[in-house]
């Protein structure tokens, strides 16, 4: 029977599979299995202990010992999966108690001591359950292992390593404080907090998102796919999407282009444009990319200069337009949603008036025709900068916008007011009958 099988049988007999590391009840017995010694190729004994570290997680501690050649090896493996985020432990070592802190260092973790510019790279050591002092001892033992050969081949390098080993040993004497860092992209390493569950001022724990290179190092191809998917989604936001529709005029097949645009100092909007190759009909429409705002918006611009005609304007479907000097008001829904300049919007208003057969067509009365010609003349003067006027946009949904050319500073000619909607305005927007709170609990059938 395998060692893990033996442990599972013990657990099935009534005991927990993972017991606390500090258990003192005598029940925490390691499972033993005979295995091959990789040093002398004779049989030795591997002991496996499934244990749980308080305030951390379950781990598997394995220890091998060979009675023939006295070779031994100890390592740990995480009993859980790779975590969602990597983890970095930064410990300020100032006392003997800090040197005795338990440390779980997996094989993919990096250990560093910045004061000595010393680093143990990932995958150069097996995972260990030890202490801060034990990490330093293992580093010293690893450096001393090949020193006799170095002294025979390169005395200068050997002397420098001896000097560095001396510095590592001095750290154990705590002549000065130092920083000990364990960085593990898998998130399965651990440095003990003796004050747990209280905060440890000497220990800083930082969780971070793995880079694609770290994910590849851990063999997590899925994270690279997620990264590529995120990049693809970002590229999609920068593309113009196209889908098939029918022309609203002649009903012939046509293409509609759609683009998501971020308006500076405002929000995202969706611009859609349809061009019909059969009849030449062209339409464009703007939809807000966000929800209805908590308050309505009233924007007032005092047109004083021809440069005002170049200001960007977003007029939503719920926005009405007013020009007091011309006694003109454009109701909600007229012209639909538009993202253009102030000049373009005023020209669209003029075209809307001219296209109406009951105003300037054969069905119009002479008196009305004269008044509307006068209106169009004054409107052209405003567009050409020959006359001053006030341009007012009132949007109960709060999704309209008029460019502030002084942004982020205040515009002396632009006034933006927020107001509470009336019951009638909420009724027009369909908000009075909209219920979003407690809907599932009260409106779900059969409850």
């Amino acid at each position: 029977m395998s060692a893990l099988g033996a442990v599972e049988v013990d657990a099935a007999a009534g005991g927990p599979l993972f017991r606390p590391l500090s258990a003192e009840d005598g029940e925490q017995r390691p499972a033993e299995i005979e295995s091959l010694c990789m040093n002398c190729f004779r049989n030795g004994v591997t002991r496996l202990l499934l244990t749980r570290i308080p305030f951390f997680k379950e781990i598997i501690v394995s220890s091998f010992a060979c009675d023939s050649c006295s070779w031994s090896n100890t390592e740990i493996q995480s009993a859980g999966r790779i975590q969602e985020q990597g983890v970095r432990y930064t410990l300020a070592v100032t006392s003997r108690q800090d040197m005795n802190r338990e440390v779980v260092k997996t094989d993919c973790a990096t250990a560093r001591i910045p004061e000595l510019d010393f680093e143990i790279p990932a995958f150069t050591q097996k995972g260990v359950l030890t202490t801060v002092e034990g990490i330093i001892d293992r580093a010293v033992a690893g450096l001393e292992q090949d020193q006799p050969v170095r002294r025979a081949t390169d005395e200068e390098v050997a002397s420098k390593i001896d000097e560095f080993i001396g510095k590592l040993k001095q750290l154990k004497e705590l002549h000065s404080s130092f920083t000990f860092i364990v960085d593990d992209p898998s998130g399965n390493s651990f440095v003990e907090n003796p004050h747990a569950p209280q905060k440890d001022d000497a220990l800083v724990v930082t969780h971070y998102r793995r880079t694609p290179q770290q994910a590849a190092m851990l063999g997590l191809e899925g994270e690279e796919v997620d990264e590529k998917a995120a990049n693809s989604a970002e590229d999609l936001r920068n593309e113009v999407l196209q889908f098939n529709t029918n022309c609203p005029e002649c009903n012939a097949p046509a293409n509609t282009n759609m683009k998501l645009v971020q308006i500076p100092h405002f929000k995202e909007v969706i611009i859609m444009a349809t061009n019909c190759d059969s009849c030449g009909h062209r339409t464009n429409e703007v939809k807000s990319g966000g929800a209805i705002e908590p308050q309505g918006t009233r924007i007032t611009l005092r047109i004083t200069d021809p440069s005002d005609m170049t200001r960007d304007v977003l007029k939503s479907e719920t926005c009405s337009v007013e020009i007091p000097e011309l006694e003109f008001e454009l109701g909600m829904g007229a012209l639909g949603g538009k993202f253009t300049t102030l000049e373009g919007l005023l020209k669209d208003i003029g075209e809307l008036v001219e296209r109406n057969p009951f105003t300037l067509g054969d069905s119009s009365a002479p008196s009305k025709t004269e008044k509307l010609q006068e209106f169009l003349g004054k409107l052209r003067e405003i567009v050409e900068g020959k006359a001053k006027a006030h341009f007012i946009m009132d949007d109960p949904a709060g999704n309209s916008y008029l460019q502030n050319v002084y942004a982020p500073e205040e515009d002396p000619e632009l006034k933006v007011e927020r107001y509470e909607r009336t019951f009638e305005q909420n009724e027009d927007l369909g908000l009075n009958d909209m219920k979003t709170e407690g809907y599932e609990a009260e409106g779900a059938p059969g409850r």
Side-chain angles (χ1 to χ4, degrees):
M1 179 184 295
S2 68
L4 284 176
V7 174
E8 290 175 358
V9 169
D10 291 341
L17 185 60
F18 291 90
R19 298 186 178 92
L21 185 63
S22 59
E24 298 177 355
D25 55 5
E27 295 181 0
Q28 194 176 21
R29 297 187 303 272
E32 297 184 357
I33 181 172
E34 187 175 356
S35 53
L36 181 67
C37 174
M38 301 307 296
N39 187 47
C40 68
F41 300 102
R42 296 179 183 178
N43 284 341
V45 177
T46 297
R47 293 176 174 85
L48 293 178
L49 179 65
L50 279 65
T51 187
R52 181 174 63 251
I53 297 178
F55 303 103
F56 184 48
K57 63 181 65 175
E58 296 85 3
I59 62 171
I60 301 173
V61 183
S62 64
S63 175
F64 175 82
C66 178
D67 294 333
S68 301
C69 65
S70 299
W71 188 72
S72 62
N73 180 40
T74 303
E75 63 182 82
I76 65 113
Q77 294 179 357
S78 174
R81 62 182 179 86
I82 294 177
Q83 303 304 305
E84 296 293 335
Q85 293 180 313
V87 66
R88 182 184 301 109
Y89 291 89
T90 304
L91 173 66
V93 182
T94 58
S95 65
R96 172 56 57 181
Q97 288 76 16
D98 292 332
M99 295 291 288
N100 292 331
R101 290 183 187 231
E102 290 180 356
V103 176
V104 175
K105 177 186 172 296
T106 65
D107 52 358
C108 60
T110 300
R112 296 198 305 270
I113 301 177
E115 286 79 1
L116 296 184
D117 198 18
F118 172 71
E119 177 176 313
I120 302 175
F123 299 106
T124 57
Q125 292 182 353
K126 293 291 185 180
V128 291
L129 170 60
T130 180
T131 62
V132 175
E133 184 177 5
I135 293 286
I136 297 175
D137 286 338
R138 286 171 63 90
V140 170
L143 291 172
E144 288 180 338
Q145 183 177 357
D146 296 327
Q147 278 298 85
V149 178
R150 293 193 190 98
R151 292 190 183 96
T153 57
D154 195 331
E155 182 66 29
E156 183 179 355
V157 173
S159 62
K160 289 182 178 179
I161 293 179
D162 282 333
E163 181 182 353
F164 188 80
I165 291 174
K167 293 180 179 179
L168 285 175
K169 291 181 177 179
Q170 286 180 0
L171 291 181
K172 296 169 58 178
E173 304 298 329
L174 286 175
H175 295 302
S176 62
S177 61
F178 64 94
T179 306
F180 177 73
I181 301 173
V182 176
D183 191 333
D184 188 355
S186 73
N188 286 327
S189 290
F190 171 75
V191 176
E192 179 191 8
N193 173 8
H195 309 290
Q198 281 78 30
K199 181 181 178 182
D200 187 348
D201 295 332
L203 183 65
V204 178
V205 183
T206 307
H207 296 274
Y208 61 88
R209 185 176 179 180
R210 282 183 288 269
T211 65
Q213 293 77 17
Q214 289 173 325
M217 179 183 69
L218 297 173
L220 300 177
E221 298 296 335
E223 293 203 1
E224 290 189 8
V225 173
D226 293 342
E227 191 74 20
K228 292 178 181 177
N231 293 334
S232 299
E234 186 65 27
D235 293 339
L236 193 63
R237 297 170 69 88
N238 297 327
E239 290 182 3
V240 177
L241 304 180
Q242 190 176 84
F243 55 92
N244 297 327
T245 55
N246 289 335
C247 174
E249 289 289 327
C250 66
N251 204 35
N255 291 325
T256 295
N257 298 323
M258 184 172 68
K259 178 75 167 64
L260 188 65
V261 177
Q262 175 67 48
I263 298 179
H265 307 288
F266 188 52
K267 61 173 69 174
E268 287 183 332
V269 297
I270 301 171
I271 301 178
M272 294 184 290
T274 303
N275 296 328
C276 180
D277 296 332
S278 300
C279 66
H281 179 71
R282 301 174 62 185
T283 61
N284 64 79
E285 190 175 1
V286 175
K287 299 284 187 181
S288 172
I292 294 177
E293 296 294 319
Q295 294 179 308
T297 304
R298 181 180 175 89
I299 304 173
T300 304
L301 172 67
R302 183 170 176 265
I303 302 173
T304 58
D305 191 87
S307 62
D308 290 330
M309 293 295 111
T310 62
R311 292 178 185 248
D312 291 333
V313 175
L314 170 64
K315 176 194 169 298
S316 74
E317 294 176 328
T318 58
C319 179
S320 61
V321 175
E322 183 181 354
I323 304 176
E325 286 78 4
L326 301 183
E327 298 182 0
F328 172 78
E329 183 174 349
L330 184 70
M332 182 190 303
L335 288 177
K338 291 271 186 189
F339 181 47
T340 178
T341 61
L342 181 57
E343 180 181 4
L345 183 57
L346 292 177
K347 286 184 177 181
D348 288 341
I349 291 173
E351 292 177 3
L352 180 65
V353 173
E354 289 180 337
R355 286 201 306 264
N356 191 338
F358 297 99
T359 55
L360 294 180
D362 296 336
S363 302
S364 61
S367 59
K368 288 186 178 180
T369 302
E370 184 178 345
K371 289 182 180 180
L372 288 173
Q373 289 291 357
E374 182 181 355
F375 167 79
L376 291 174
K378 292 181 179 179
L379 186 62
R380 280 192 291 269
E381 289 180 357
I382 295 175
V383 172
E384 294 170 0
K386 298 178 181 179
K388 298 181 179 180
H390 289 82
F391 181 81
I392 302 173
M393 300 173 64
D394 192 337
D395 187 356
N399 286 328
S400 293
Y401 163 82
L402 182 57
Q403 182 185 11
N404 174 5
V405 294
Y406 297 92
E409 304 296 332
E410 291 188 5
D411 189 333
E413 307 297 339
L414 187 67
K415 182 180 180 182
V416 180
E417 302 171 88
R418 305 284 181 181
Y419 62 87
E420 297 295 331
R421 286 185 289 267
T422 64
F423 179 87
E424 289 75 15
Q425 288 174 324
N426 283 329
E427 187 71 19
D428 291 337
L429 296 174
L431 298 179
N432 290 333
D433 299 326
M434 187 179 296
K435 183 175 180 62
T436 58
E437 295 181 0
Y439 173 77
E440 186 175 352
E442 298 178 11
R447 294 191 180 184

